[in-house]
């Protein structure tokens, strides 16, 4: 069975629905908590590693020019050996450097889960950081004209701590990434409201014999419900319904 994840290659699962951990689990997946799921994953735009490769590309070009020079001009034996070693070193260093940059780019994981936004970087030495969805206050998207044409941009995620900003630079399909993050945040908040509201609505009211005691209980319950409404745990409509119900018991 093939299980597709947006932004990832399809993973072949055995009949039981669970692949062997050592074969299918990536480094990012190993960081997930219990019941946490990946909703969206991406990486930097391909222009990012291309930009980082300008210097090694220059080394390769210099090596090629030195090779062409050696082919077209006759050099003495010692000079020919030295010249060959020089252009070979330039070529090998440039190509290896480009390979490392590309592999590091492929190893990236900018991931939206059901609980947080997770950033995984590094080819050999892994580095990860995350921002909890419930702590995110805002996300600032920056796109110039070329970024809009090639579908990438910079995303600054502002958390509850105003001084804390998580930056995602040259993120591919940055608009889709932001939408996935905000949708996950809304779903998480809706889940919190759903778990709190039933408990609030079902708050028992004391049916004491004294009329004054019953009125005090209703007043206290209404105050708690109003506080939950102001915090967004219940909707105004739910508050009014429960209010009418409680007042009807007096």
């Amino acid at each position: 069975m093939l299980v597709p994840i947006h932004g990832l290659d399809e993973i072949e699962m055995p009949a039981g629905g669970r692949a062997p951990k050592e074969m299918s689990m990536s480094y990012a997946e190993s960081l997930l908590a219990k019941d946490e799921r990946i909703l969206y994953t991406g990486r930097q735009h391909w222009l990012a590693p291309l930009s980082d490769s300008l210097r090694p590309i220059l080394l390769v070009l210099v090596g090629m020019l030195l090779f062409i020079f050696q082919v077209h001009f006759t050099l003495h034996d010692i000079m020919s050996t030295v010249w060959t070693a020089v252009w070979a070193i330039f070529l090998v260093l440039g190509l290896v450097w480009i390979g490392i940059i590309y592999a590091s780019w492929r190893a990236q994981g900018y991931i939206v889960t059901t609980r947080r936004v997770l950033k995984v970087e590094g080819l050999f030495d892994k580095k990860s950081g995350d921002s909890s969805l419930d702590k995110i206050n805002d996300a600032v998207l920056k796109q110039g004209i070329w970024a809009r044409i090639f579908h990438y941009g910079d995303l600054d995620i502002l958390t509850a701590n105003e001084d804390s900003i998580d930056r995602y630079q040259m993120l591919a399909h940055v608009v889709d990434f932001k939408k996935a993050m905000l949708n996950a945040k809304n779903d998480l908040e809706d889940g919190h409201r759903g778990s709190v509201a039933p408990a609030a609505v079902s708050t028992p009211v004391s049916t004491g014999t004294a009329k004054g005691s019953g009125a005090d209980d209703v007043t206290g319950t209404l105050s708690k419900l109003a506080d939950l409404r102001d915090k967004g745990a219940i909707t105004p409509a739910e508050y009014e319904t429960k209010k009418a119900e409680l007042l009807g018991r007096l």
Side-chain angles (χ1 to χ4, degrees):
M1 179 175 64
L2 294 178
V3 180
I5 300 177
H6 189 94
L8 291 176
D9 295 335
E10 291 184 334
I11 301 174
E12 185 171 359
M13 304 287 284
R18 185 167 184 170
K21 185 174 181 180
E22 63 274 12
M23 292 179 60
S24 65
M25 182 170 289
S26 66
Y27 180 79
E29 290 173 315
S30 69
L31 299 176
L32 300 181
K34 182 180 179 181
D35 298 328
E36 186 178 10
R37 295 180 294 104
I38 293 177
L39 302 177
Y40 186 99
T41 187
R43 60 170 56 91
Q44 284 184 308
H45 195 269
W46 57 267
L47 286 174
L50 180 62
S51 176
D52 294 337
S53 299
L54 292 180
R55 283 179 290 181
I57 289 175
L58 181 60
L59 285 180
V60 172
L61 291 177
V62 171
M64 294 176 63
L65 289 174
L66 294 176
F67 170 74
I68 294 173
F69 180 86
Q70 182 180 11
V71 170
H72 286 79
F73 296 92
T74 303
L75 300 175
H76 298 292
D77 292 341
I78 297 179
M79 181 61 70
S80 178
T81 302
V82 173
W83 201 267
T84 300
V86 171
W87 67 254
I89 291 174
F90 273 89
L91 280 177
V92 171
L93 285 179
L95 292 174
V96 171
W97 195 349
I98 292 173
I100 292 175
I101 291 174
Y102 177 77
S104 298
W105 173 71
R106 291 290 301 175
Q108 289 176 353
Y110 295 167
I111 300 166
V112 178
T113 75
T114 51
R115 298 185 184 180
R116 54 184 167 159
V117 179
L118 180 64
K119 178 192 294 185
V120 177
E121 297 175 325
L123 181 58
F124 303 109
D125 297 329
K126 293 293 185 180
K127 177 184 177 182
S128 63
D130 60 81
S131 301
S132 298
L133 291 174
D134 55 356
K135 300 296 183 182
I136 294 176
N137 288 337
D138 196 7
V140 179
L141 174 61
K142 301 176 183 177
Q143 277 188 303
I145 183 170
W146 288 111
R148 294 198 300 272
I149 293 174
F150 289 100
H151 304 291
Y152 72 89
D154 299 337
L155 186 66
D156 291 346
I157 298 177
L158 285 67
T159 59
N161 182 358
E162 295 181 357
D163 296 331
S164 178
I165 300 177
D166 197 5
R167 287 188 168 89
Y168 292 74
Q169 296 181 325
M170 295 192 71
L171 184 61
H173 303 290
V174 65
V175 175
D176 293 338
F177 187 93
K178 182 179 179 180
K179 288 180 180 178
M181 180 186 70
L182 295 179
N183 289 336
K185 177 177 172 62
N186 290 335
D187 290 343
L188 182 65
E189 292 175 347
D190 290 342
H192 286 336
R193 294 192 188 102
S195 62
V196 173
V201 173
S202 62
T203 303
V205 179
S206 175
T207 56
T209 55
K211 184 176 180 179
S213 176
D216 291 340
D217 291 338
V218 170
T219 301
T221 303
L222 286 175
S223 178
K224 293 178 180 178
L225 288 172
D227 185 53
L228 290 172
R229 178 200 60 194
D230 294 339
K231 292 180 178 179
I234 62 175
T235 64
E238 291 172 335
Y239 168 78
E240 294 297 334
T241 300
K242 192 59 183 178
K243 177 181 176 181
E245 179 184 342
L246 292 173
L247 292 177
R249 295 183 184 181
L250 295 179

